[in-house]
Amino acid sequence: MNANQKMRQSTSASAYGGRAGTGARDGDPPVRMRRFWSVRRVPAGIVALVIAAVSGLLLYDVAAVRSGRPAMRWREWLADEFASRPLDDAWIMGGAAALGALGVLMVVLALAPGLRGLLPMRPPGSGTGTGAEAEAEAGAEAGAGPGKGVEAGAGTGGAVRAGIDRTSAGLVLRDRAMEVPGVRSARVDVGRRRVRARALAHFRDLDEVRADLDAALHEGIRQLGLVRRPALSVRVRRSAKSKG
């Protein structure tokens, strides 16, 4: 057996890369829906508490100084440092740069929608395999009860928006992969733009298993009814027990 035949029996992936990237372009009408926005109650509460604590401490120290008491040591040290160091001092410039970067980061995080683990789904009637039927199927296959796996929220004009988290979508696609004949085990990682599937085959030709797995996962992704259908990357290899 030559090296090419050994490689062909050990892995099967690159020959089927052409179907990756198919999304709402393969027959479904395009739909524009914004991502879900995170409420951010906990981060906002923590920031508010920190600002309130620092402001209260400064206010107390100023009131104590006005009443004739000495200022706190840390404020005296900080005032002396600011008064004695020039503006081009390395510590001053480094601290200013760090505070500026922190401010920019907070602005970017505030403008970002968040909820990167929640994938928006297409509204009912916008294409085949979408809507409430797809939500119910995805939730049932993922073992998700109410409020788990599939989430919904009110959009503009009172329309209901639905989404599924990436973990539940991965479980749905993994179950689809395990139904393919010849697949011994499978792992499916769902990202925002790409689905990566890795499977072990214990019988059948690897290219045949790869082709069936590719078709099954494409159908599973279609039935999830996502607004932006992710690209698919599938790799199949022979299990160690089957090689022995």
Side-chain angles (χ1 to χ4, degrees), residues 4-230:
N4 292 333
Q5 290 175 332
K6 290 182 180 179
M7 179 62 68
R8 185 178 180 85
Q9 289 188 1
S10 63
T11 183
S12 175
S14 59
Y16 296 90
R19 294 186 61 183
T22 58
R25 296 179 291 274
D26 53 359
D28 293 341
V31 175
R32 292 185 59 87
M33 291 186 64
R34 299 181 61 183
R35 287 174 51 192
F36 288 88
W37 279 75
S38 174
V39 180
R40 298 183 176 95
R41 293 190 180 96
V42 175
I46 293 175
V47 173
L49 288 176
V50 171
I51 294 177
V54 174
S55 301
L57 186 62
L58 288 174
L59 181 60
Y60 170 80
D61 191 53
V62 170
V65 171
R66 293 294 183 179
S67 63
R69 296 181 179 181
M72 295 182 181
R73 291 184 179 180
W74 66 269
R75 198 163 73 91
E76 291 181 351
W77 173 82
L78 190 61
D80 292 340
E81 289 292 327
F82 283 144
S84 60
R85 291 180 181 271
L87 293 179
D88 58 351
D89 183 78
W91 286 100
I92 299 294
M93 297 182 65
L99 290 177
L102 180 61
V104 172
L105 177 62
M106 294 182 67
V107 171
V108 171
L109 292 178
L111 296 178
L115 295 179
R116 296 175 61 87
L118 190 61
L119 302 176
M121 302 173 70
R122 299 168 68 87
S126 61
T128 59
T130 61
E133 182 179 352
E135 295 174 31
E137 180 180 355
E141 294 191 17
K148 180 180 179 182
V150 179
E151 299 185 16
T156 57
V160 176
R161 299 178 58 201
I164 182 171
D165 64 84
R166 295 190 296 186
T167 302
S168 298
L171 292 176
V172 173
L173 297 178
R174 187 197 64 182
D175 292 343
R176 289 292 186 117
M178 294 301 297
E179 295 175 356
V180 175
V183 173
R184 180 186 184 91
S185 63
R187 176 179 176 180
V188 180
D189 297 320
V190 178
R192 292 181 53 225
R193 293 181 175 86
R194 181 173 293 274
V195 174
R196 292 178 173 85
R198 303 293 179 265
L200 293 177
H202 58 106
F203 69 92
R204 298 182 67 200
D205 182 73
L206 286 182
D207 287 343
E208 294 179 0
V209 176
R210 173 61 173 74
D212 292 346
L213 184 59
D214 183 84
L217 290 181
H218 269 93
E219 179 65 15
I221 294 174
R222 185 190 69 82
Q223 292 186 354
L224 285 178
L226 302 178
V227 170
R228 176 170 182 159
R229 201 170 297 173

